Amino acid sequence: EQCDLNHHVSDLILIVYILSFNLQQLLKANRYLIRTQDVAQLRCCSEKFSAPFRLYEHIYDLSLFLFNDILVISRRSISNKPFEWSSKITHQFLEVVALHQLFVEDIPESKYIKNAFLLQGPRLRLICSTEEADKFPWLSVLQRAIICSPEEGGLIF
């Protein structure tokens, strides 16, 4: 019961998030949230080197919201105020990608990059990194959602 309650609370938080960004067009009767994942967005600083020797820098914190037919991407900011116990987390909407248009590729680990993967869509190319324990479960769920997603046009809005 507690797990179901947490799931419903996270769905409600996401709906409030969507409404706060005036993204009501993302709300659909047959659309449901599968999973969320916090990642670090990386930028390659040394494209001229071969893959194992490339250097990467952390540029943003992102939140990925995986639905049954789309992936919603937002930039996450965490701020702390003195003498307050909790942090304030804010999201800035970045992109929505239909799953059937999303390409996902694992990035092999090297001395300079760990737990990374590439997300690529029509207007999107992100190098992301997550915690070690989260990478393969996230990629597995994401790949399964892509395979099962409908390929009809106009599904996003």
Side-chain angles (χ1 to χ4, degrees), residues 137-148:
W138 166 252
L139 290 180
S140 174
V141 169
L142 180 57
Q143 289 286 12
R144 193 171 30 232
I146 290 169
I147 291 168
C148 296

Side-chain angles (χ1 to χ4, degrees), residues 1-20:
E1 284 183 47
Q2 184 65 33
C3 188
D4 283 342
L5 180 62
N6 289 341
H7 181 70
H8 292 300
V9 168
S10 68
D11 283 351
L12 288 173
I13 290 169
L14 186 61
I15 289 169
V16 169
Y17 166 76
I18 288 172
L19 291 174
S20 69

Side-chain angles (χ1 to χ4, degrees), residues 13-60:
I13 290 169
L14 186 61
I15 289 169
V16 169
Y17 166 76
I18 288 172
L19 291 174
S20 69
F21 281 104
N22 206 15
L23 300 174
Q24 292 91 339
Q25 68 269 25
L26 294 181
L27 297 175
K28 290 178 63 174
N30 60 345
R31 180 170 289 148
Y32 57 89
L33 180 67
I34 297 173
R35 182 176 170 153
T36 63
Q37 184 65 50
D38 292 335
V39 299
Q41 181 183 359
L42 306 176
R43 181 174 62 96
C44 183
C45 305
S46 50
E47 293 270 342
K48 60 186 173 199
F49 297 114
S50 63
F53 303 106
R54 290 183 183 154
L55 299 175
Y56 297 85
E57 70 175 323
H58 176 244
I59 53 177
Y60 295 113

Side-chain angles (χ1 to χ4, degrees), residues 59-117:
I59 53 177
Y60 295 113
D61 291 318
L62 303 177
S63 290
L64 308 176
F65 300 92
L66 177 62
F67 290 85
N68 58 310
D69 61 340
I70 60 172
L71 181 68
V72 177
I73 302 164
S74 72
R75 186 174 299 149
R76 186 179 72 257
S77 300
I78 302 170
S79 60
N80 297 300
K81 292 185 179 177
F83 310 110
E84 288 189 12
W85 290 100
S86 61
S87 302
K88 180 181 178 186
I89 300 173
T90 57
H91 291 269
Q92 177 187 356
F93 172 77
L94 292 179
E95 187 74 48
V96 177
V97 182
L99 291 184
H100 71 274
Q101 296 179 323
L102 187 64
F103 173 75
V104 181
E105 182 181 346
D106 182 33
I107 297 175
E109 292 194 2
S110 72
K111 181 178 177 180
Y112 305 105
I113 192 166
K114 304 276 186 216
N115 308 312
F117 55 93

